[in-house]
Amino acid sequence: MFHQLFLCFVAESFGQNYPEEADGTLDCISMALTCTFNRWGTLLAVGCNDGRIVIWDFLTRGIAKIISAHIHPVCSLCWSRDGHKLVSASTDNIVSQWDVLSGDCDQRFRFPSPILKVQYHPRDQNKVLVCPMKSAPVMLTLSDSKHVVLPVDDDSDLNVVASFDRRGEYIYTGNAKGKILVLKTDSQDLVASFRVTTGTSNTTAIKSIEFARKGSCFLINTADRIIRVYDGREILTCGRDGEPEPMQKLQDLVNRTPWKKCCFSGDGEYIVAGSARQHALYIWEKSIGNLVKILHGTRGELLLDVAWHPVRPIIASISSGVVSIWAQNQVENWSAFAPDFKELDENVEYEERESEFDIEDEDKSEPEQTGADAAEDEEVDVTSVDPIAAFCSSDEELEDSKALLYLPIAPEVEDPEENPYGPPPDAVQTSLMDEGASSEKKRQSSADGSQPPKKKPKTTNIELQGVPNDEVHPLLGVKGDGKSKKKQAGRPKGSKVPLALNDLLPDASTSFCFVSLLFICLVYSEE
């Protein structure tokens, strides 16, 4: 009985570990398409349809940096482990690596087909996994610009998705026939495999593979609208052509909803799936498999991407080009900090006790300090910093000292005062003269051509055998072959009758004759 009361108290005090309501939006000005948190959840990178990457400071909910990355829409993003680098893919088949602090491009890779996904190696940011359309996955080595094409189960079926596991030791790939391959990352050797089947012997296509940040679990989103959760240790134990059973099967039995994007919570205890039909997020508890919450966005909007905060119960979703934030309902509970705290509905007359508010109580006798009172006089260490457990992996003891958690932002002052705390005017004049002389020297050096130009990023062409070059990214719609864009005969249904002269008259000469005739008629009518 006491155990049940304690659990109820904990649930009531701290709430659940999943979001419960909308908590505002992030407007990137241009249309947002994809988003991803860094490892600590302090920065959120958003890829837009105009090729820009907008980096938000998630604590202040303000834009920290804008990188003009691509010309075409950004379709995939991934942070490096230390947060200093970003890898992005655009719909023009280009993969780029960016320095987050400077905003410069380190190097580019041009692929023959559109890119569906890019992912850094979880422990080695020199390796990037790329999933092109109608091609086997490719692993890039950034230091020497080399690439390795991963082996596939069936050469005729190249609709393959891939993902690193939690520590990057293995790469999991899945094809349209439901076959999952587990490859050793260093040697690309096959260590395990199994096939995802439906209730009968029929197979189903693999749409995505996602791993939890903690534990060994991963999920598989398939075309039969079922999310299957597996234990990675069991997969490796079964070996090749194994028959592992999923830990959970998650689905919407009522509406048979297909899933656009699925991912784990930061602690790996919950799973969120975004509907491919509408802006709706379904949240399940992984251990039990029960549906705990459905978050509904604006009706009529289509979901594009979903990302769960690595540490907090917060979800970011994208629909109609806007990033929506979902969080818990924050209720102030002062009694949690002071047990004797009471909220009053109206003023209450308070009777002051004797010497209650005196600076020094003359009548008070000092008791002997024992136990907890004696411990208060001990020195408290306020200089050493203990690592935050949520930011460390299970095989790590210390946090990364070189990690990039925040970006510096210069404050914008609308009406600055005229030098309130600065140097005297004479010193300002001297500094201005020195700046003018130095700028003149810079102009002369640039005119002489001695100033080195900005380094252009190296572009490497990736050649893939047997990959069609006319594929169009799913974000851009159908192929532009003209067959699917036939012009309808007559006026389109629902269109209004044109009222302008330019709409009524076919060309400029006819409109000129019409205006001239109209002018002559007006002249004769006046006479």
Side-chain angles (χ1 to χ4, degrees), residues 418-448:
E418 293 184 0
N419 203 13
Y421 305 107
D426 296 338
V428 174
Q429 275 189 344
T430 307
S431 63
L432 288 175
M433 291 174 63
D434 294 340
E435 287 180 4
S438 63
S439 62
E440 186 66 27
K441 289 181 181 179
K442 287 182 181 178
R443 286 197 205 95
Q444 290 179 0
S445 62
S446 61
D448 297 339

Side-chain angles (χ1 to χ4, degrees), residues 32-36 45-48 74-77 89 261 304-305 318 323:
L33 298 178
T34 182
C35 65
T36 178
V46 180
C48 302
V74 179
C75 55
S76 182
L77 285 171
K261 177 70 182 294
L304 294 178
D305 201 2
I318 295 180
V323 182

Side-chain angles (χ1 to χ4, degrees), residues 178-205:
K179 191 64 177 291
I180 302 291
L181 303 182
V182 183
L183 308 172
K184 192 74 175 175
T185 301
D186 298 332
S187 60
Q188 292 85 49
D189 294 333
L190 180 64
V191 295
S193 64
F194 67 97
R195 192 177 297 276
V196 178
T197 59
T198 57
T200 59
S201 59
N202 296 329
T203 59
T204 177

Side-chain angles (χ1 to χ4, degrees), residues 159-180:
N159 295 311
V160 183
V161 296
S163 175
F164 285 112
D165 69 345
R166 185 168 68 94
R167 293 181 179 170
E169 298 177 1
Y170 302 97
I171 299 176
Y172 286 64
T173 67
N175 61 12
K177 295 182 179 179
K179 191 64 177 291
I180 302 291

